[in-house]
Amino acid sequence: ADLKKACIGGDRGEDITVASMNLERADTVLSEFCKVLGQSQREADFALLLKLGCAGIVVDTCSRIKDCLVASSSDANEASPAWKQMSSVMLGSLKFLGVLCKHDFARIYMLLTNRVVRLADLAVACLDMHFGSVASLPDAQSVSVLFLP
């Protein structure tokens, strides 16, 4: 419930944007989840998170932050507090998904629900933003490559 309130803003039916998210609270909740899940050995805990839709909420959060970062990448200041906070929530979200996917059934769930495609899109966008901000590289080094297991 806390994750949903922090990342989505509760049960409001309006269009969700990064501006409507409580990024500070989302970062705290995600770090607490990661701490607890990192110590958990029970598959039932991870299955419950999937059943409650936490993976979907976190992937949606990553997608919204990615969209915001890509839209503002041309005029964004990476030292700004908003950029740092969004990056922190993105990192917490990816850590959460990494801890969640240490079980086979969670990885299968991510594949079957097509959330892996959205994460691959996120990875490509981050690589494109990174290489777009780096000074021009020789042609041989300017190709973005993503290796997936």
Side-chain angles (χ1 to χ4, degrees):
D2 282 345
L3 182 64
K4 187 174 183 178
K5 286 178 186 174
C7 293
I8 297 180
D11 295 323
R12 297 179 295 198
E14 63 201 41
D15 188 28
I16 306 301
T17 63
V18 173
S20 68
M21 292 173 49
N22 183 347
L23 293 174
E24 213 171 288
R25 181 71 182 140
D27 193 27
T28 303
V29 170
L30 287 166
S31 67
E32 289 297 317
F33 263 115
C34 289
K35 189 185 316 178
V36 171
L37 287 178
Q39 298 170 357
S40 178
Q41 298 297 320
R42 295 181 41 215
E43 287 187 3
D45 295 337
F46 296 88
L48 179 62
L49 288 176
L50 294 175
K51 183 178 178 183
L52 293 175
C54 293
I57 292 169
V58 172
V59 171
D60 290 343
T61 300
C62 287
S63 293
R64 281 193 298 276
I65 291 173
K66 178 218 31 141
D67 292 341
C68 183
L69 291 176
V70 168
S72 66
S73 65
S74 60
D75 55 87
N77 179 6
E78 292 185 19
S80 73
W83 181 279
K84 287 182 179 180
Q85 198 167 32
M86 284 189 289
S87 296
S88 180
V89 172
M90 177 75 79
L91 180 63
S93 298
L94 295 174
K95 283 181 182 177
F96 172 83
L97 291 171
V99 171
L100 181 67
C101 288
K102 71 181 182 182
H103 292 287
D104 291 343
F105 65 87
R107 291 190 297 272
I108 292 169
Y109 174 83
M110 296 293 281
L111 283 168
L112 293 176
T113 57
N114 256 353
R115 287 183 170 89
V116 171
V117 174
R118 292 176 61 195
L119 291 174
D121 182 46
L122 169 72
V124 169
C126 289
L127 286 171
D128 287 344
M129 280 185 356
H130 170 73
F131 286 120
S133 67
V134 174
S136 69
L137 299 170
D139 289 336
Q141 295 178 355
S142 65
V143 176
S144 296
V145 178
L146 177 63
F147 296 100
L148 296 173

